[in-house]
Amino acid sequence: MNTKSDEILSVRDRSPLSRGTALICGAAVAGALLTGCGNDTGGEAARSGAAEAAQAAATSPTPSADGRLTEDQQQRKALVPKAKTGYEQALGAAVGAVPNSKPVSVELKGPPDSPRWEAEVATGDGTAHTVSVDATDGKAGKAQGKDDDGDDKRKLADLLKKATVTPRQAAQTAMGKTKGTVTAVELDDTDGGAPKWSVDVVTTDDWNKTTFDIDATNRKILREHVDHD
């Protein structure tokens, strides 16, 4: 009997240790599972990041052949050489399409396989017309009247009256600073209300565009900005 009791007590004495061992083993197993889950989460994040990077690369703009030109520079490189008619001839054709008018603006536009000059001219009272001029043969299309209100007409008429510098003179001033091709000329006003010409010049060595703001009364350069995009 004593032997049996001793065995029973021995078993009971070992039971807490066994339970503790079981708990430790269980904790180890749980830790292993958690570690495994952590590794799996990191793998998922890495795979997700790689997928996003691949998608971003797929949707990024394709670089040009020389790897240097931006999208705007590529467009200028494709368009500017296609224009066989210059800004001055285009303005002349637009003025000829609207009797008693003066030039207000002109800008070279695409696509490269069909380049055109979008010109604006106005009569003395500020009534403006737009004229599209073929940039390959210099022929002007039909003039389209603009639906401006009275204030806009008066403002434009005032600018035309004050502007003693011609578009050609403004372009010559700009070209004196930067050699290239004139792609736009526009009459506007400064913050103080004085007339100015904005002239865009594209340089064909890097296809950058430089914009000059030129006082339309004395040909002074008010601002010069190079667009590297």
Side-chain angles (χ1 to χ4, degrees):
M1 290 293 293
N2 290 339
T3 303
K4 198 69 172 179
S5 298
D6 291 341
E7 290 177 357
I8 292 172
L9 288 172
S10 177
V11 171
R12 287 177 177 174
D13 289 340
R14 290 197 301 269
S15 294
L17 177 60
S18 299
R19 289 195 296 271
T21 304
L23 289 172
I24 292 171
C25 293
V29 172
L33 289 174
L34 288 174
T35 302
C37 291
N39 289 340
D40 186 59
T41 302
E44 287 295 331
R47 288 192 291 273
S48 176
E52 291 177 359
Q55 182 178 3
T59 56
S60 296
T62 303
S64 59
D66 59 15
R68 295 184 300 106
L69 298 182
T70 66
E71 184 177 349
D72 286 346
Q73 289 168 334
Q74 291 178 57
Q75 290 177 350
R76 295 177 196 129
K77 184 177 180 179
L79 176 61
V80 172
K82 298 294 184 180
K84 306 306 179 184
T85 298
Y87 81 94
E88 194 172 4
Q89 185 178 347
L91 277 178
V95 168
V98 179
N100 303 315
S101 64
K102 293 182 178 181
V104 176
S105 67
V106 66
E107 182 179 5
L108 180 63
K109 294 188 175 183
D113 60 350
S114 182
R116 69 188 188 282
W117 291 96
E118 289 297 327
E120 180 178 330
V121 297
T123 53
D125 63 353
T127 300
H129 296 77
T130 59
V131 182
S132 182
V133 180
D134 192 308
T136 57
D137 60 18
K139 292 182 178 179
K142 185 177 180 180
Q144 303 290 330
K146 294 184 65 178
D147 189 19
D148 294 332
D149 59 28
D151 289 340
D152 289 337
K153 289 181 179 181
R154 283 189 289 272
K155 179 180 178 180
L156 182 54
D158 185 56
L159 287 177
L160 288 171
K161 189 179 297 184
K162 291 179 178 177
T164 56
V165 174
T166 67
R168 181 182 183 183
Q169 290 172 331
Q172 287 175 338
T173 299
M175 292 281 284
K177 290 282 292 183
T178 299
K179 301 298 181 184
T181 301
V182 175
T183 58
V185 182
E186 180 180 10
L187 181 64
D188 203 347
D189 60 345
T190 64
D191 292 338
K196 69 174 182 180
W197 289 104
S198 290
V199 182
D200 289 347
V201 180
V202 172
T203 46
T204 56
D205 56 344
D206 53 16
W207 302 104
N208 285 333
K209 179 180 71 175
T210 304
T211 300
F212 294 90
D213 286 346
I214 298 169
D215 192 306
T217 62
N218 56 24
R219 297 179 67 170
K220 288 183 179 179
I221 296 177
L222 305 174
R223 174 179 173 270
E224 177 179 350
H225 174 71
V226 181
D227 183 359
H228 295 285
D229 293 336

